[in-house]
Amino acid sequence: MKKLLTVCGLALIGLQNVTAQTEDTWMPKQLGIGVGVGTTGIVIDASTTLNRWLGVRAGVDIMPKIKVNTDLDLGTQGLNDNFKDMTDRANKINAEYRQVYGDDLIDLSGLPDGLPENMDVQGKLTNTTFHFLVDVYPFKHSSFHATAGFYAGGKEFVSVYNKTEGFLTPVTQWNSVINGEVDNLPPTALQYIEGQEMIGAELGDYFITPNPANNGNVKATVEVNAFRPYLGIGFGRAVPRKKRIGCQFDLGVQFWGTPKVYAPTYNKETGYQNERLTEEHAGGDGSDIIKIISSIPVYPTLNFRLVGRIF
């Protein structure tokens, strides 16, 4: 313990000496704040200078939640007609049986009242991030700078989901009946759904359908890395040297990895899951879309900021 304390003490003394020798050069001389706009959204940050060659800034980039609405044909019209005929026949049998025996022959409580044919879909872009950047000014009399640092935020970049809460509950009820997951549906009722299939979208080897655990909701997402290294160049100083107000322009890229597409799927071996979709198994147009999305490993960053010097 004494040796450890001695080593720590010597380290502190050495660090203090280094600071004393370099404080004129490395102590922050200026402090500023900046507000801007760009491909990262609304930029708000604080900045400081370490010396005339180096500056540091940290802040947040608030991306407005851009939403797009559309509608999706679920392709259940024909199935809905068959479903209505099926339930009408079952109700007729129940009425006749009830007159004689005072009870229902077929338990229909596990079946939905009807199947939706169209769904309102909403897509949302989410990209609010935190950034920490170091500016290097290689030329004494120029505001040109090279910048390195990182952005950090959530993994979910784009999401697409049903707009109405619980809209797909009838679909999950139907699929549960088809899979024999409804306990109170007796064998006598199975003849009315014999030959029917689960409701979902076939995308190559994937069968996309809502997970019953999500209470009638479905969501597909595009996800990227939460930590994103950044490299760029620009003009302007994070803290104006002579004037109180200045401007700064930045152009660079965030390295956010390979974007991944996730969607709720089902198969008999693994059941329901939120699965990553790959171009090898998506097939057709789905494969082309996933290939395009996955081939964008960087996010272009273009920002313009107004900066003000506090002192």
Side-chain angles (χ1 to χ4, degrees), residues 11 35 81 116 137 222 261:
V35 178
D81 294 338
Y137 299 89
V222 176
V261 180

Side-chain angles (χ1 to χ4, degrees), residues 196-272:
Q196 302 290 351
E197 298 180 351
M198 291 179 64
I199 300 173
E202 292 186 359
L203 187 66
D205 297 335
Y206 302 107
F207 184 72
I208 300 175
T209 193
N211 188 331
N214 293 330
N215 302 315
N217 300 304
V218 64
K219 182 171 76 169
T221 60
V222 176
E223 298 184 7
V224 295
N225 293 343
F227 181 82
R228 311 164 193 173
Y230 172 85
L231 289 175
I233 58 174
F235 291 91
R237 293 186 175 273
V239 182
R241 297 178 63 180
K242 298 179 180 180
K243 299 180 180 180
R244 281 289 181 180
I245 302 295
C247 60
Q248 187 174 38
F249 170 82
D250 286 282
L251 175 64
V253 291
Q254 300 175 34
F255 298 89
W256 64 6
T258 300
K260 304 174 182 64
V261 180
Y262 289 88
T265 63
Y266 173 85
N267 66 62
K268 293 182 180 180
E269 295 181 359
T270 59
Y272 294 97

Side-chain angles (χ1 to χ4, degrees), residues 74 76 79 83 110-112 114-116 168-182 185 190 193 196-201 207-213 216-218 264-268 272:
L74 298 180
T76 59
L79 182 60
F83 175 76
L111 293 176
L115 302 174
L168 293 172
T169 298
V171 173
T172 59
Q173 290 175 332
W174 172 267
N175 289 343
S176 296
V177 171
I178 298 298
N179 287 331
E181 300 169 358
V182 179
L185 196 66
L190 296 181
I193 60 172
Q196 302 290 351
E197 298 180 351
M198 291 179 64
I199 300 173
F207 184 72
I208 300 175
T209 193
N211 188 331
N217 300 304
V218 64
T265 63
Y266 173 85
N267 66 62
K268 293 182 180 180
Y272 294 97

Side-chain angles (χ1 to χ4, degrees), residues 46-64:
S47 53
T48 187
T49 56
L50 301 179
N51 58 26
R52 68 183 181 185
W53 310 108
L54 293 174
V56 177
R57 43 189 161 124
V60 63
D61 300 73
I62 305 171
M63 176 66 73

Side-chain angles (χ1 to χ4, degrees), residues 8-296:
C8 291
L10 291 174
L12 289 174
I13 293 173
L15 180 61
Q16 189 176 39
N17 289 336
V18 171
T19 303
Q21 293 172 4
T22 62
E23 62 180 1
D24 291 339
T25 303
W26 288 94
M27 281 187 64
K29 300 295 185 181
Q30 297 174 319
L31 180 66
I33 56 174
V35 178
V37 294
T39 58
T40 59
I42 301 171
V43 184
I44 303 173
D45 59 14
S47 53
T48 187
T49 56
L50 301 179
N51 58 26
R52 68 183 181 185
W53 310 108
L54 293 174
V56 177
R57 43 189 161 124
V60 63
D61 300 73
I62 305 171
M63 176 66 73
K65 292 183 178 180
I66 301 173
K67 297 180 180 180
V68 178
N69 298 313
T70 186
D71 65 290
L72 182 66
D73 183 0
L74 298 180
T76 59
Q77 183 174 357
L79 182 60
N80 220 8
D81 294 338
N82 295 335
F83 175 76
K84 187 176 184 303
D85 292 340
M86 176 190 72
T87 53
D88 287 345
R89 286 187 286 119
N91 284 324
K92 183 178 180 181
I93 292 174
N94 273 344
E96 295 173 352
Y97 191 84
R98 194 181 304 113
Q99 287 182 354
V100 179
Y101 298 100
D103 199 0
D104 289 338
L105 174 65
I106 303 171
D107 186 353
L108 299 174
S109 60
L111 293 176
D113 295 330
L115 302 174
E117 299 178 0
N118 295 282
M119 179 174 67
D120 291 332
V121 175
Q122 188 170 82
K124 180 174 66 175
L125 170 66
T126 305
N127 194 34
T128 293
T129 55
F130 165 83
H131 66 258
F132 180 84
L133 305 173
V134 177
D135 297 321
V136 179
Y137 299 89
F139 308 114
K140 183 176 181 180
H141 300 292
S142 173
S143 65
F144 172 82
H145 58 268
T147 304
F150 68 87
Y151 285 75
K155 290 185 176 182
E156 190 174 293
F157 181 67
V158 175
S159 59
V160 180
Y161 48 89
N162 54 285
K163 190 174 181 180
T164 303
E165 177 71 20
F167 183 79
L168 293 172
T169 298
V171 173
T172 59
Q173 290 175 332
W174 172 267
N175 289 343
S176 296
V177 171
I178 298 298
N179 287 331
E181 300 169 358
V182 179
D183 297 331
N184 62 350
L185 196 66
T188 51
L190 296 181
Q191 59 181 304
Y192 294 95
I193 60 172
E194 185 177 356
Q196 302 290 351
E197 298 180 351
M198 291 179 64
I199 300 173
E202 292 186 359
L203 187 66
D205 297 335
Y206 302 107
F207 184 72
I208 300 175
T209 193
N211 188 331
N214 293 330
N215 302 315
N217 300 304
V218 64
K219 182 171 76 169
T221 60
V222 176
E223 298 184 7
V224 295
N225 293 343
F227 181 82
R228 311 164 193 173
Y230 172 85
L231 289 175
I233 58 174
F235 291 91
R237 293 186 175 273
V239 182
R241 297 178 63 180
K242 298 179 180 180
K243 299 180 180 180
R244 281 289 181 180
I245 302 295
C247 60
Q248 187 174 38
F249 170 82
D250 286 282
L251 175 64
V253 291
Q254 300 175 34
F255 298 89
W256 64 6
T258 300
K260 304 174 182 64
V261 180
Y262 289 88
T265 63
Y266 173 85
N267 66 62
K268 293 182 180 180
E269 295 181 359
T270 59
Y272 294 97
Q273 59 185 326
N274 193 45
E275 187 173 3
R276 179 187 174 185
L277 309 185
T278 63
E279 60 177 291
E280 292 81 6
H281 298 283
D285 294 338
S287 178
D288 294 336
I289 293 173
I290 294 174
K291 182 178 180 179
I292 292 173
I293 293 175
S294 301
S295 64
I296 308 175

